[in-house]
Amino acid sequence: MPSYYFKEVWTPLKWIGIKFFHDDEGKLWIKWWSNPRKRVH
């Protein structure tokens, strides 16, 4: 599996456990609570 560098994007959804990230290629990823990150299409 490739290694990505993630930068978190702050949104108010972070307060309820939903986090958004940008990777080093500029693609958007989402993380729900303790689940692994998934790329948003």
Side-chain angles (χ1 to χ4, degrees):
M1 185 165 209
S3 177
Y4 293 103
Y5 173 77
F6 291 102
K7 180 173 169 61
E8 187 172 353
V9 178
W10 191 90
T11 62
L13 293 173
K14 182 178 177 182
W15 294 334
I16 59 172
I18 302 170
K19 298 178 183 179
F20 289 93
F21 298 89
H22 276 146
D23 65 4
D24 50 0
E25 297 176 354
K27 297 195 166 90
L28 187 64
W29 296 68
I30 189 169
K31 180 171 174 55
W32 299 65
W33 301 294
S34 62
N35 296 326
R37 290 182 188 109
K38 293 185 181 178
R39 198 167 90 193
V40 179
H41 296 293

